[in-house]
Amino acid sequence: MISVVILGKGTVGRAFIRQIADIRAPLLERGIDLRVHGIVGKTNFLFCAEGIDEECLRDVADGRGEFVARDEVQDAADVTEAVRGIHADHHLIVDLTAEPNIAAHTTWIRAGWHVVTANKHPLVASFREYDALMTHARRGGDRMYRYSTTVGAGLPIISTLQSMVGAGDEVLEIRAAVSGTLGFIFSACEEGMTFADAVREAKERGYSEPDPREDLSGKDVARKALIMARVLGSRAEFDDMTIESLVPESLERGTVEDFFAALPDASRHIDDRFRALRERGRTLRYLLTVTPESVRVGVEEVEKESDFGRLHGPENMFVVRSRHYATVPLVIRGPGAGAEVTAARVLADLLHVAMQSTFTHAQV
Ligand SMILES: NC(=O)c1ccc[n+]([C@@H]2O[C@H](COP(=O)([O-])OP(=O)(O)OC[C@H]3O[C@@H](n4cnc5c(N)ncnc54)[C@H](OP(=O)(O)O)[C@@H]3O)[C@@H](O)[C@H]2O)c1
């Protein structure tokens, strides 16, 4: 039996819980008994020693569910301790929060849990902490740490890089557009919308964070760049990265309303730049470039008729050059966000663990 605790029941969490409810019975027919014993939110939790039944999982996915207030337990550790007492072949934690959980991830891996995370924050902690986590995961035998969805959501970029590096290929450069929000905004601007209107529309369509400055700061792109750089063996630190922010310095503080009120004036230079570039068949993209020695994140001018220039809206694209893919690069392109595609890949990570574990046990 695979016992699962899920942290986070937001957009991705609820889609994931629904997908688990749908796949439980078919998995059981294949001999995999996957049970969710705990679901932990910021303020409340759900625990069931027999495994939460499918009807209840669907209720949670629909935003209902009978949760117990979190102040009745100390924190997620209490739920995981309770679940740890349940006899299972494997215990698995799925982190679908955006919390700085590196210490918890390390503790869980050391205690013998598998961890699957869509949460980027633990992977961009200091290199010392990151290295300790990965070392424990490597030394843990069949215990696994999977984080496919932290970059590119459902797109298979992390697993591809890991298998290239693992098979001895040398990745020379990754260039990528990884922000759906910035992709949408830049596409709208090149079609003539003002930057301020494009940012507002991205918020209204739910592409951006509630405070769009979070996306415009470039920090989320930088986190993804650092995660990939570390897969290639980089020891870079997040705090040392140069990140080009699209938030005018004068608007970094203040309410979201103040930000939107001042943005048209403060971003006129961006509108002018798009206009001038349009006349020359060029445009702007927010890109990252990762090499074994460096990580760069910021706005770049590209030909409109180039691969990155032709990207439209929130699409992501990764162009990977390596020793084996030197002349023609490896390209991965598709939607880089979305609850369903992300949840499906989190589930694929979980099933990878389940299959590997079952296989390992069958071998023993
Ligand atoms: N959305 C995407 O397309 C996408 C793609 C790839 C990766 N991701 C990553 O996936 C993660 C989840 O994204 P999301 O869009 O689902 O975010 P979200 O809707 O904001 O959900 C986050 C959830 O985390 C929970 N949470 C916060 N603090 C917690 C704590 N201390 N313990 C337990 N739960 C806690 C919140 O619980 P309450 O509901 O109780 O407040 C909320 O349900 C993020 O790290 C995000 O970067 C998202």
Side-chain angles (χ1 to χ4, degrees):
M1 190 242 291
I2 314 273
S3 167
V4 180
V5 174
I6 300 167
L7 305 186
K9 49 184 169 63
T11 318
V12 176
R14 289 200 305 275
F16 176 68
I17 289 165
R18 187 184 309 285
Q19 290 184 16
I20 292 230
D22 291 345
I23 205 169
R24 242 189 65 73
L27 277 183
L28 208 50
E29 281 172 21
R30 287 159 57 192
I32 299 172
D33 184 3
L34 186 67
R35 292 195 206 173
V36 179
H37 284 114
I39 299 174
V40 183
K42 194 183 174 85
T43 55
N44 53 22
F45 74 98
L46 194 57
F47 168 74
C48 177
E50 286 75 45
I52 300 167
D53 66 37
E54 280 142 48
E55 199 185 325
C56 187
L57 288 175
R58 285 183 216 286
D59 279 349
V60 176
D62 289 341
R64 300 192 300 271
E66 301 208 348
F67 284 87
V68 179
R70 266 283 286 275
D71 55 5
E72 292 183 23
V73 284
Q74 282 300 300
D75 55 25
D78 288 332
V79 176
T80 52
E81 258 326 291
V83 173
R84 186 108 185 95
I86 295 169
H87 181 74
D89 297 318
H90 291 281
H91 287 282
L92 210 140
I93 302 249
V94 180
D95 184 347
L96 305 177
T97 74
E99 300 297 297
N101 281 342
I102 179 102
H105 283 202
T106 309
T107 304
W108 291 323
I109 284 284
R110 290 185 69 175
W113 293 78
H114 301 286
V115 176
V116 171
T117 180
N119 176 6
K120 291 178 271 293
H121 292 270
L123 292 149
V124 298
S126 72
F127 181 76
R128 188 182 53 75
E129 292 170 288
Y130 169 87
D131 193 43
L133 170 63
M134 292 301 161
T135 304
H136 286 303
R138 269 194 306 273
R139 288 200 190 127
D142 67 344
R143 178 187 319 160
M144 278 177 240
Y145 188 81
R146 309 262 316 165
Y147 52 98
S148 305
T149 51
T150 53
V151 184
L155 300 177
I157 181 64
I158 291 293
S159 53
T160 300
L161 293 175
Q162 284 171 328
S163 57
M164 286 169 84
V165 172
D169 196 359
E170 188 189 348
V171 176
L172 306 170
E173 185 189 77
I174 306 165
R175 268 169 66 72
V178 296
S179 168
T181 315
L182 297 178
F184 171 82
I185 292 169
F186 279 36
S187 280
C189 289
E190 81 194 12
E191 283 161 13
M193 195 182 276
T194 64
F195 184 76
D197 284 347
V199 174
R200 193 179 283 282
E201 182 148 347
K203 179 171 155 64
E204 281 166 8
R205 288 191 186 209
Y207 289 150
S208 78
E209 294 294 327
D211 184 342
R213 285 173 291 192
E214 178 61 27
D215 299 286
L216 298 175
S217 71
K219 283 187 184 161
D220 198 53
V221 175
R223 287 184 196 107
K224 293 173 183 174
L226 184 57
I227 291 171
M228 290 192 288
R230 285 179 169 178
V231 173
L232 307 192
S234 165
R235 303 171 70 94
E237 297 284 0
F238 188 79
D239 290 343
D240 295 341
M241 291 175 73
T242 309
I243 307 167
E244 184 175 351
S245 172
L246 294 165
V247 183
E249 218 176 308
S250 57
L251 304 185
E252 278 172 1
R253 276 164 287 280
T255 66
V256 177
E257 288 70 31
D258 293 344
F259 166 72
F260 272 115
L263 192 58
D265 280 341
S267 60
R268 206 145 280 156
H269 64 288
I270 304 180
D271 300 332
D272 292 343
R273 200 168 164 198
F274 267 107
R275 203 170 305 118
L277 285 171
R278 204 176 307 133
E279 284 162 17
R280 290 168 30 218
R282 293 175 71 78
T283 187
L284 299 177
R285 290 289 178 263
Y286 199 95
L287 301 179
L288 64 82
T289 306
V290 172
T291 71
E293 296 80 32
S294 65
V295 185
R296 206 174 62 237
V297 175
V299 177
E300 290 187 35
E301 274 188 32
V302 297
E303 293 292 332
K304 182 70 194 96
E305 288 309 315
S306 64
D307 289 341
F308 282 110
R310 278 194 292 264
L311 272 187
H312 192 262
E315 242 181 318
N316 277 197
M317 183 164 77
F318 300 83
V319 179
V320 182
R321 284 183 196 280
S322 72
R323 210 154 31 84
H324 296 160
Y325 293 91
T327 17
V328 181
L330 177 74
V331 177
I332 296 176
R333 177 175 178 172
E340 291 302 326
V341 285
T342 305
R345 191 135 190 106
V346 170
L347 189 56
D349 268 353
L350 188 156
L351 292 177
H352 180 91
V353 171
M355 301 299 179
Q356 291 288 112
S357 308
T358 308
F359 179 72
T360 309
H361 274 242
Q363 298 290 298
V364 172

